[in-house]
Amino acid sequence: MMLDFDMGTRAGELRVQLRELIERELPERFPGAFTDDPADLAAAQRFCRVLAEQDLLCLSWPGEFGGAGASVWEQTVVREEMWAHHEPRGAQYMGVNWVGPIIMRHGTTEQQRRHLPPIAAGEVIWCQGFSEPEAGSDLASLRTYARRDGDGWLINGQKIWTSYATMAQWCFLLVRTTRVGEGSVTKKQQGLTVFLVPMDNPAITVRPLGTMMGPHHLNEVFFDDLRVTDADVLGDLDSGWSIVADVMAFERVGIARYARCERLLAAAPHALGPRWETLPGEVIARWVRMLTHCRRARLMAYRVVSLQASGRIAPGDAAAYRIAVTRLDQESAEVLMEIAAEVPDSPQAQWYRQEVEDHWRYSQAATVSSGSIEMQRILLSRALLAEAR
């Protein structure tokens, strides 16, 4: 397949515009939204509203849903610049990259009217209720169950590793509505349903989990007789697994960690100054290799973006990209930590060391979060075998 990754004449101007906004609208040396200081989350929320006011938050969304109708390549530029600069949108990237597009694809008209405008305006944060204590990579084994109760449903169960649950207003929740062996459900991937539920319901309890990545990243969420209705169902009842496949394809390419890696790698010689020339040749060689791997991950992401733009979901390509970018995350972090150890004592150089340490902490979970790397290899293998038949 021949692919044209020309982002158009607007791409360069857009990058400049976004960098100027970041410099002007965010505090100096912004540490990201996920710290112990509520002011950092507030700064991220303000920045999202600024992006929305300038039609930059959901740039490629259709105008009827609050977007600007721009190309997916322009949205890719936004994604790259945000991740390169410590993702100043905070948790909003989730709503922009996949919650909104999935609701466009599977939601009712009423769900679209209710949920898409607040996402496009930067006013709402979503979390994802997928993983459970006994169902992580094997997501289809989840036990959270919704049973019929009159004209609605009662949901009971537990989710874990739920990022942003302490700050989110809505949850994209996957539960079982028909058990295996009941009716026509013969496989665990059947009988699953997605519900869109508000997080302020008193039947929901959130318990933060401590992590070296800082607050907000990991939480337990408990559902005790959470009442929902058929209007809260996304897509068809018992057909949630097909929606999950779409979610994974959008989610995995939406996290442009390669842009973050590339920016930190490119900044290394400047941070070290004259000390850069004294680094061992082996470290320099690994640094060059990581820059090459950044470009490889970028091109793999562009392939998936191109396929999605044509209306196709490519689980195999998304899995291949995810494998490449998570390995890049961890391998580049190791090289960067060795380089950062040589950083001089100037304030600017010390800030670089802090950025590298933050990147290293995040990278440790990279091959587990959003589906373990082993599961990505299984998905890729299945896709390749299907093509070979």
Side-chain angles (χ1 to χ4, degrees):
M1 178 187 296
M2 295 298 294
L3 297 174
D4 181 6
F5 295 136
D6 182 3
M7 290 187 166
T9 57
R10 167 79 171 127
E13 298 172 0
L14 183 58
R15 289 192 192 277
V16 172
Q17 180 184 1
L18 291 166
R19 291 172 187 179
E20 289 176 349
L21 273 177
I22 289 169
E23 184 175 359
R24 183 172 70 246
E25 300 292 339
L26 289 170
E28 186 178 6
R29 297 178 178 177
F30 178 62
F34 310 124
T35 71
D36 291 307
D37 189 348
D40 294 324
L41 174 60
Q45 292 298 92
R46 285 194 304 271
F47 183 69
C48 282
R49 289 192 287 271
V50 170
L51 289 176
E53 289 166 2
Q54 299 191 26
D55 290 329
L56 293 171
L57 186 61
C58 298
L59 191 59
S60 65
W61 284 22
E64 71 234 54
F65 297 135
S71 74
V72 293
W73 298 111
E74 290 177 56
Q75 187 71 56
T76 300
V77 170
V78 175
R79 180 184 303 145
E80 290 176 346
E81 289 303 315
M82 293 301 104
W83 278 98
H85 292 86
H86 219 307
E87 188 44 281
R89 297 174 299 179
Q92 291 286 353
Y93 75 87
M94 184 179 289
V96 173
N97 287 343
W98 70 261
V99 175
I102 294 299
I103 292 175
M104 288 180 210
R105 185 180 289 256
H106 298 280
T108 64
T109 300
E110 177 56 35
Q111 288 170 338
Q112 292 170 351
R113 288 173 178 167
R114 181 177 190 179
H115 295 295
L116 296 179
I119 295 174
E123 297 173 349
V124 63
I125 293 174
W126 283 76
C127 64
Q128 178 193 76
F130 278 16
S131 295
E132 299 185 6
E134 302 297 328
S137 296
D138 185 15
L139 181 59
S141 296
L142 63 83
R143 297 180 181 179
T144 298
Y145 183 65
R147 65 175 176 85
R148 269 293 183 188
D149 183 70
D151 60 353
W153 302 80
L154 288 178
I155 297 177
N156 286 276
Q158 176 190 0
K159 298 293 179 177
I160 199 167
W161 319 133
T162 307
S163 298
Y164 323 129
T166 52
M167 60 174 68
Q169 290 83 46
W170 285 88
C171 180
F172 193 98
L173 179 63
L174 182 68
V175 305
R176 181 162 295 284
T177 42
T178 303
R179 292 190 170 97
V180 177
E182 296 178 352
S184 60
V185 174
T186 59
K187 299 189 299 184
K188 60 185 177 182
Q189 289 80 7
Q190 299 170 328
L192 301 173
T193 300
V194 173
F195 289 89
L196 308 178
V197 301
M199 289 295 290
D200 62 356
N201 192 302
I204 300 176
T205 302
V206 179
R207 296 180 186 170
L209 295 170
T211 165
M212 66 180 179
M213 293 189 293
H216 307 299
H217 283 285
L218 300 180
N219 303 275
E220 293 178 292
V221 185
F222 299 87
F223 305 91
D224 298 297
D225 282 343
L226 170 66
R227 177 167 289 280
V228 294
T229 69
D230 288 332
D232 301 315
V233 173
L234 181 68
D236 295 328
L237 193 68
D238 286 345
S239 298
W241 194 250
S242 62
I243 295 177
V244 169
D246 283 2
V247 168
M248 295 305 179
F250 278 97
E251 178 189 27
R252 286 165 185 161
V253 75
I255 303 176
R257 290 288 297 179
Y258 59 84
R260 177 80 173 146
C261 295
E262 189 167 1
R263 184 166 183 258
L264 290 173
L265 288 163
H270 305 285
L272 265 66
R275 293 192 184 184
W276 178 257
E277 302 297 332
T278 67
L279 289 178
E282 182 268 343
V283 172
I284 297 295
R286 288 163 59 207
W287 173 79
V288 172
R289 188 180 307 119
M290 289 303 101
L291 283 170
T292 304
H293 289 184
C294 284
R295 302 300 174 89
R296 178 181 66 183
R298 182 189 296 269
L299 289 174
M300 294 176 76
Y302 288 0
R303 174 178 171 80
V304 180
V305 169
S306 179
L307 289 168
Q308 290 176 346
S310 65
R312 289 173 287 173
I313 300 295
D317 288 297
Y321 163 72
R322 184 68 181 168
I323 293 168
V325 80
T326 52
R327 291 194 60 186
L328 168 66
D329 242 353
Q330 293 183 341
E331 292 171 6
S332 67
E334 295 301 322
V335 176
L336 285 165
M337 285 292 281
E338 291 186 41
I339 293 172
E342 302 300 323
V343 164
D345 293 330
S346 68
Q348 180 58 43
Q350 288 301 313
W351 175 250
Y352 177 77
R353 177 179 289 174
Q354 293 173 21
E355 290 285 283
V356 168
E357 289 175 354
D358 177 83
H359 171 64
W360 182 87
R361 286 192 296 269
Y362 187 101
S363 75
Q364 298 312 294
T367 51
V368 177
S369 60
S370 298
S372 69
I373 198 168
E374 290 81 6
M375 293 302 296
Q376 305 309 311
R377 287 170 175 153
I378 291 171
L379 287 172
L380 178 57
S381 299
R382 288 174 177 169
L384 293 173
L385 285 172
E387 290 177 3
R389 288 174 183 169

